[in-house]
Amino acid sequence: MPTTRPSALQLETSWQPAANGSPPAYTLSLKNRSSRPLSRFRLCVSGPGRVDPSVEIDGGTVGERLSNFTAFLPPEGFELATGATWTVSVHALSWPLSHWTDGANSAYVEFDDGSTLSLPVSPTRLIGNNAPLKRGVEAYPVPDVPPAPVSIVPWPNHVSVSGRRPTPAGFALTATDPKAVAAAGAFTDLVDLLFAVEGMVRPSSEGGMPVALRVKNGLASEAYEMDFSEAGISISASTQTGLFYGLVTLGQIWRGVRLHPHAFKFPLEGQIRDEPAMGWRGLHLDVARQFYASGEIRKLLAILAWNKLNRFHWHLSDDEAWRVEIDAYPALTEIGAWRGHGLPVPPLLGSGPERSGGYYTKATVREIVAFAKDLGIEIVPEIDVPGHCFAMQQALPELRDPAEIGSYYSVQGFPDNCINPAREKTYEVLETIFRELIELFPFKTIHVGADEVPLGAWSGSPQALARLAQLGGPAMAEAHSKRLNVITNTHGADDINGSGTAVLQALFLERIQKFLASQGCVTGGWEEAAHGNVIDKSASYLCGWRNVEVSAALADEGYEMVVCPGQAYYLDMANSPDWDEPGASWAGWSAPEMTYNFDPVAGWSDAQKQKLRGVQACIWSEAMTDRAVFDRLVFPRLSAVAETAWTRPESKSWERFKAFAGLMPVLYDYP
């Protein structure tokens, strides 16, 4: 039992980069502001920054470390007196801190009786820097004289409008064809969610201007035509989605005029002809590192639709959590969906000692999938295998070889986080899970991850080594066994090409992809799924995350590619290298203008471009505990990627985009 129980503790953290021969220092200072001394305790913190396995520390020791969770112990017999401060300085991190969100974003004290006390956490300070920290969306003001008379993002293929008419109070949508009726209903639901009090859709009895929705055969599946005349407005398309996109364009024009009548005109006459440049226009969201409630997902999908994005890549599992209900294995959500002190998955990335997390029930998934479909969005679920499976293994320990010894570590610092390709149980479990997912996601495209498998994976598994000896020979198996307990994966994802790990992963992927194909599904993977060149290229695609050159090389090999390079399209990367900006920096940084101007197929040949499915932005959620940070990182860069995906390169204009970006909706709108 602790001899004292404080009523007030204060934690401050700071970062001092290496300078003048001194090593960098990540300093944690715990001040006892209570009326009693504190003893027999440990300080537990988590945040994106991770203490290196080869830790160098002053003032204490590391009692426990799992990825970004660290428990610091004071010296033996230490007592923190009233008014005193205990300081711990860490000189070895997995990577240097670069932004204020890199430090601890949750903390608590654990006493020797197992009880805990949560601590308020302030952002980590950079020594010598007092710049105000940035949160929330940076406002892009609409200029008095914008570069175009109507505000539309992404910009259409052809805009030829003129004249001015009084701005309608709203629109009364008229439709008879079932496709048109469905488009009108979906658009009404969309604006009710995004702009509930604006009355954009209203009956003629409330002043709504008639808008005729017409089905016109012969147009591309997402194309639309819009005509303005003194008699009214008509929108034509061959599909529900095309009509819906036409309404989105009309809604954007209307909101621009309503909010900035001095800058924009509601057209009296003219035409808009439009269709997307790319078929795959996506957003990836990691819901494992941070959980997003179903209401947040629905509003985010609405924002995607307002940007004419049509793919939602839903990252439902990772080391930190499992987020989707599976009837056959209830432990996946009973155990894998929750983090907290004393639980199989400890507090990570901003979660505190209390049990926290969540998952999506099957009923919720069905509702979200149906909602997205009405908005022209197909959902691709991702179950990340064979790596990134720490939470999954806590729920289903039978996935591990029972005779496995030793440990290997992922780049994020998780031990033994890969499910075993040599165990038949692995395929039994995954095929059961995928069957349940296929029933939930009718788009029948399943992403299986396949990224960042450590070089030492399965090096202590007798089953894996025996299988490797069959596949690559005894010498390869012997060489692989020597990677046991060797920490190779600390400062960057291991290159596993040519290794025993790559051979075993190829065995795994070939079987999983064949199973999914037998169920009528396309298999998605990150670019590492190309290891071994074993998956059927006619029934798969890859997401290229490193750079456009790697994606081009994979296209040369015949893989269909979705381009999402980290340095430009990872929206968790900071907007600048400055400390006061939130976000990550391992892939670099990208200001909105840089993201907008980035060419995802720079240097590609015509043959390579034939393998381009499209592009997508990716949101990884390590820093998203603070939802105002989410807003700052995602907007307006999400719209910048959307315009690249939709608008022909020769029609893009940063100045026009910047003038209109401030009119686009954001998810939270926190200051």
Side-chain angles (χ1 to χ4, degrees):
M1 293 287 291
T3 57
T4 61
R5 186 58 51 86
S7 59
L9 295 174
Q10 179 180 346
L11 177 68
E12 293 184 351
T13 61
S14 64
W15 172 250
Q16 174 66 66
N20 301 321
S22 298
Y26 176 47
T27 301
L28 302 94
S29 300
L30 181 67
K31 184 172 185 178
N32 184 0
R33 303 176 64 184
S34 76
S35 59
R36 299 178 181 179
L38 174 66
S39 63
R40 289 184 287 174
F41 68 92
R42 65 179 192 163
L43 173 64
C44 304
V45 301
S46 75
R50 297 186 296 273
V51 174
D52 196 276
S54 58
V55 62
E56 300 173 21
I57 186 170
D58 298 329
T61 57
V62 171
E64 181 183 353
R65 172 188 178 272
L66 178 69
S67 184
N68 53 73
F69 172 84
T70 306
F72 294 100
L73 303 179
E76 184 72 25
F78 176 82
E79 183 176 89
L80 184 59
T82 297
T85 299
W86 173 48
T87 298
V88 177
S89 292
V90 181
H91 302 294
L93 297 175
S94 294
W95 36 266
L97 306 189
S98 299
H99 303 279
W100 66 266
T101 50
D102 284 341
N105 52 17
S106 71
Y108 64 95
V109 169
E110 180 192 4
F111 301 100
D112 64 354
D113 65 354
S115 62
T116 61
L117 178 69
S118 294
L119 304 178
V121 177
S122 300
T124 299
R125 296 180 300 108
L126 174 65
I127 300 299
N129 184 312
N130 295 313
L133 305 182
K134 295 174 181 175
R135 303 166 68 250
V137 176
E138 180 178 355
Y140 277 54
V142 174
D144 290 337
V145 183
V150 289
S151 57
I152 308 169
V153 175
W155 190 249
N157 280 350
H158 172 79
V159 179
S160 178
V161 295
S162 61
R164 178 198 290 267
R165 75 187 311 154
T167 306
F171 301 109
L173 309 181
T174 62
T176 56
D177 186 281
K179 295 177 185 177
V181 171
F187 182 74
T188 300
D189 290 342
L190 175 68
V191 297
D192 281 349
L193 180 55
L194 291 179
F195 318 111
V197 298
E198 295 185 13
M200 189 184 306
V201 176
R202 60 176 69 194
S204 56
S205 60
E206 296 179 13
M209 178 182 180
V211 176
L213 302 181
R214 298 168 177 160
V215 173
K216 178 181 177 180
N217 295 327
L219 297 180
S221 62
E222 295 178 300
Y224 66 90
E225 298 176 347
M226 187 182 309
D227 291 280
F228 297 88
S229 69
E230 291 190 14
I233 301 169
S234 67
I235 299 174
S236 302
S238 62
T239 65
Q240 174 186 331
T241 301
L243 291 167
F244 175 80
Y245 285 154
L247 286 169
V248 169
T249 294
L250 180 62
Q252 290 185 2
I253 292 171
W254 181 83
R255 292 195 77 245
V257 179
R258 285 288 298 266
L259 297 175
H260 298 277
H262 64 282
F264 298 111
K265 303 174 182 178
F266 195 87
L268 175 63
E269 56 188 5
Q271 299 176 333
I272 295 175
R273 301 287 184 265
D274 201 10
E275 65 179 286
M278 299 182 189
W280 187 290
R281 307 179 305 280
L283 175 72
H284 159 285
L285 178 66
D286 158 28
V287 300
R289 276 57 179 265
Q290 307 292 344
F291 182 66
Y292 299 79
S294 56
E296 294 173 281
I297 299 295
R298 287 173 63 89
K299 186 175 179 183
L300 181 61
L301 288 169
I303 291 172
L304 299 193
W306 199 253
N307 283 272
K308 299 189 179 78
L309 294 168
N310 66 351
R311 297 288 184 268
F312 180 55
H313 179 161
W314 205 356
H315 188 90
L316 291 166
S317 76
D318 216 296
D319 291 310
E320 292 84 351
W322 180 281
R323 299 298 192 197
V324 60
E325 180 181 34
I326 299 297
D327 292 336
Y329 302 108
L332 286 169
T333 49
E334 291 171 355
I335 294 174
W338 307 96
R339 303 199 288 254
H341 178 73
L343 297 181
V345 183
L348 298 168
L349 297 168
S351 57
E354 68 284 350
R355 181 176 182 266
S356 64
Y359 65 94
Y360 308 102
T361 67
K362 285 191 167 183
T364 295
V365 169
R366 290 188 181 98
E367 291 171 359
I368 289 173
V369 168
F371 176 72
K373 181 70 172 178
D374 285 343
L375 303 182
I377 299 168
E378 298 287 4
I379 298 184
V380 177
E382 179 182 353
I383 300 299
D384 201 346
V385 287
H388 288 280
C389 288
F390 181 83
M392 184 183 188
Q393 289 180 320
Q394 303 314 297
L396 303 176
E398 62 267 30
L399 293 175
R400 184 175 169 88
D401 180 350
E404 188 167 357
I405 59 173
S407 285
Y408 56 88
Y409 290 86
S410 73
V411 64
Q412 287 84 14
F414 285 95
D416 313 317
N417 72 331
C418 302
I419 57 177
N420 200 310
R423 285 178 61 73
E424 194 60 30
K425 188 68 176 179
T426 295
Y427 303 102
E428 174 190 325
V429 169
L430 283 182
E431 289 177 10
T432 301
I433 289 171
F434 285 138
R435 283 192 178 95
E436 292 196 28
L437 284 179
I438 292 165
E439 189 272 329
L440 289 174
F441 294 95
F443 187 48
K444 302 197 83 171
T445 300
I446 307 292
H447 200 287
V448 299
D451 61 314
E452 296 182 332
V453 172
L455 187 61
W458 314 298
S459 54
S461 164
Q463 289 181 327
L465 292 171
R467 191 74 177 96
L468 184 57
Q470 293 174 350
L471 295 168
M476 176 175 279
E478 175 67 18
H480 193 59
S481 70
K482 293 179 179 178
R483 294 195 171 105
L484 184 63
N485 295 329
V486 176
I487 296 177
T488 60
N489 214 332
T490 57
H491 301 291
D494 284 341
D495 182 1
I496 67 172
N497 270 322
S499 70
T501 296
V503 172
L504 289 168
Q505 176 174 280
L507 166 74
F508 171 86
L509 290 175
E510 183 177 25
R511 181 159 172 182
I512 291 298
Q513 192 265 320
K514 284 182 178 178
F515 167 76
L516 290 174
S518 76
Q519 304 299 304
C521 291
V522 170
T523 299
W526 300 103
E527 61 189 44
E528 292 96 322
H531 287 313
N533 196 29
V534 295
I535 61 175
D536 181 355
K537 299 180 180 68
S538 69
S540 62
Y541 73 96
L542 302 180
C543 294
W545 61 268
R546 280 189 173 88
N547 53 56
V548 296
E549 291 80 14
V550 170
S551 292
L554 290 168
D556 252 344
E557 294 178 24
Y559 292 99
E560 292 196 7
M561 300 301 301
V562 172
V563 179
C564 46
Q567 67 272 24
Y569 287 173
Y570 272 29
L571 302 187
D572 53 310
M573 296 299 114
N575 283 286
S576 86
D578 299 335
W579 177 266
D580 51 280
E581 285 283 3
S585 58
W586 61 264
W589 60 274
S590 185
E593 183 174 2
M594 295 166 64
T595 299
Y596 182 86
N597 288 324
F598 183 82
D599 183 356
V601 290
W604 284 38
S605 68
D606 289 342
Q608 290 166 342
K609 289 177 183 178
Q610 293 298 312
K611 293 297 182 180
L612 178 69
R613 283 198 171 198
V615 299
Q616 72 180 26
C618 295
I619 301 172
W620 299 98
S621 293
E622 284 88 344
M624 304 304 187
T625 309
D626 183 340
R627 295 301 209 245
V629 167
F630 183 104
D631 275 354
R632 181 163 191 85
L633 292 173
V634 173
F635 307 106
R637 293 191 296 182
L638 177 66
S639 296
V641 177
E643 186 144 306
T644 294
W646 183 281
T647 306
R648 293 172 182 169
E650 63 271 17
S651 298
K652 291 181 63 180
S653 161
W654 164 251
E655 291 305 316
R656 184 191 62 232
F657 174 84
K658 184 178 179 181
F660 301 162
L663 293 166
M664 300 298 283
V666 301
L667 188 53
Y668 300 103
D669 203 19
Y670 289 160

